[in-house]
Amino acid sequence: MIAAVNGKPYSKGRFSDIYWRFGELLAYASRGTTLIPGDVIASGTVGTGCILELSRVHGPDAYPWLQPGDRVRLEVAHLGAIESTITAGPPVKPLRSATAVQETVR
């Protein structure tokens, strides 16, 4: 399995080394939002890690966060590849309101 951003390899590994099951990944990714056909969900928990891990080890200049316009390619041997351009998403929906957080703090 290989993940590349704008042609630069970010992560590679074997499917047998995957840490999170995809059901768990989808449950986490869908909290506070709705997943729709065409959404791309990828995991950095195989091989060399995710962008957070790569940025902390090698620096954010070497492995920057995804930005609108970036091209992401995910490839798995014997299955094929998918490539997509990152677009700006809607504002993040909070899991709970600021009022509920303030009341909890009191």
Side-chain angles (χ1 to χ4, degrees), residues 26 29 32 39 46 61 81 83 103:
L26 293 173
D39 286 347
V46 69
D61 291 336
E83 191 167 323
E103 289 175 3

mmCIF file of all heavy atoms in Angstrom, residues 26 29 32 39 46 61 81 83 103:
data_model
loop_
_atom_site.group_PDB
_atom_site.id
_atom_site.type_symbol
_atom_site.label_atom_id
_atom_site.label_comp_id
_atom_site.label_asym_id
_atom_site.label_seq_id
_atom_site.Cartn_x
_atom_site.Cartn_y
_atom_site.Cartn_z
ATOM 1 N N LEU A 26 -14.260 4.424 9.990
ATOM 2 C CA LEU A 26 -15.446 5.119 9.490
ATOM 3 C C LEU A 26 -16.288 5.690 10.629
ATOM 4 O O LEU A 26 -16.818 6.793 10.519
ATOM 5 C CB LEU A 26 -16.294 4.183 8.630
ATOM 6 C CG LEU A 26 -15.650 3.764 7.316
ATOM 7 C CD1 LEU A 26 -16.493 2.704 6.630
ATOM 8 C CD2 LEU A 26 -15.415 4.957 6.407
ATOM 9 N N ALA A 29 -14.424 8.831 11.709
ATOM 10 C CA ALA A 29 -14.458 9.884 10.685
ATOM 11 C C ALA A 29 -15.847 10.497 10.521
ATOM 12 O O ALA A 29 -15.971 11.653 10.136
ATOM 13 C CB ALA A 29 -13.986 9.325 9.343
ATOM 14 N N GLY A 32 -20.146 13.733 13.919
ATOM 15 C CA GLY A 32 -20.402 15.152 13.692
ATOM 16 C C GLY A 32 -20.577 15.528 12.233
ATOM 17 O O GLY A 32 -20.702 16.697 11.911
ATOM 18 N N ASP A 39 -16.749 10.441 -0.881
ATOM 19 C CA ASP A 39 -15.802 10.824 0.165
ATOM 20 C C ASP A 39 -14.655 9.820 0.161
ATOM 21 O O ASP A 39 -14.875 8.622 -0.004
ATOM 22 C CB ASP A 39 -16.464 10.818 1.546
ATOM 23 C CG ASP A 39 -17.394 11.999 1.767
ATOM 24 O OD1 ASP A 39 -17.353 12.945 0.972
ATOM 25 O OD2 ASP A 39 -18.154 11.954 2.750
ATOM 26 N N VAL A 46 -0.920 2.431 8.676
ATOM 27 C CA VAL A 46 -0.170 1.320 8.121
ATOM 28 C C VAL A 46 1.190 1.834 7.654
ATOM 29 O O VAL A 46 1.314 2.971 7.218
ATOM 30 C CB VAL A 46 -0.941 0.635 6.961
ATOM 31 C CG1 VAL A 46 -1.039 1.526 5.751
ATOM 32 C CG2 VAL A 46 -0.309 -0.674 6.586
ATOM 33 N N ASP A 61 7.620 20.963 7.261
ATOM 34 C CA ASP A 61 8.009 21.355 5.902
ATOM 35 C C ASP A 61 8.203 20.132 5.017
ATOM 36 O O ASP A 61 7.931 20.169 3.821
ATOM 37 C CB ASP A 61 9.292 22.188 5.924
ATOM 38 C CG ASP A 61 9.083 23.563 6.545
ATOM 39 O OD1 ASP A 61 7.926 24.049 6.549
ATOM 40 O OD2 ASP A 61 10.060 24.141 7.038
ATOM 41 N N ALA A 81 -5.544 1.743 -7.896
ATOM 42 C CA ALA A 81 -5.223 3.041 -7.295
ATOM 43 C C ALA A 81 -6.403 3.982 -7.451
ATOM 44 O O ALA A 81 -7.234 3.825 -8.348
ATOM 45 C CB ALA A 81 -3.989 3.636 -7.962
ATOM 46 N N GLU A 83 -7.043 8.337 -7.193
ATOM 47 C CA GLU A 83 -6.397 9.639 -7.061
ATOM 48 C C GLU A 83 -7.483 10.704 -7.010
ATOM 49 O O GLU A 83 -8.472 10.631 -7.734
ATOM 50 C CB GLU A 83 -5.472 9.884 -8.253
ATOM 51 C CG GLU A 83 -4.576 11.078 -8.068
ATOM 52 C CD GLU A 83 -3.452 11.133 -9.104
ATOM 53 O OE1 GLU A 83 -2.925 10.082 -9.473
ATOM 54 O OE2 GLU A 83 -3.126 12.253 -9.509
ATOM 55 N N GLU A 103 -21.179 25.204 30.593
ATOM 56 C CA GLU A 103 -21.952 24.689 31.716
ATOM 57 C C GLU A 103 -21.219 23.535 32.390
ATOM 58 O O GLU A 103 -21.267 23.389 33.601
ATOM 59 C CB GLU A 103 -23.341 24.257 31.253
ATOM 60 C CG GLU A 103 -24.218 25.432 30.886
ATOM 61 C CD GLU A 103 -25.553 24.998 30.300
ATOM 62 O OE1 GLU A 103 -25.827 23.779 30.225
ATOM 63 O OE2 GLU A 103 -26.330 25.884 29.898
#
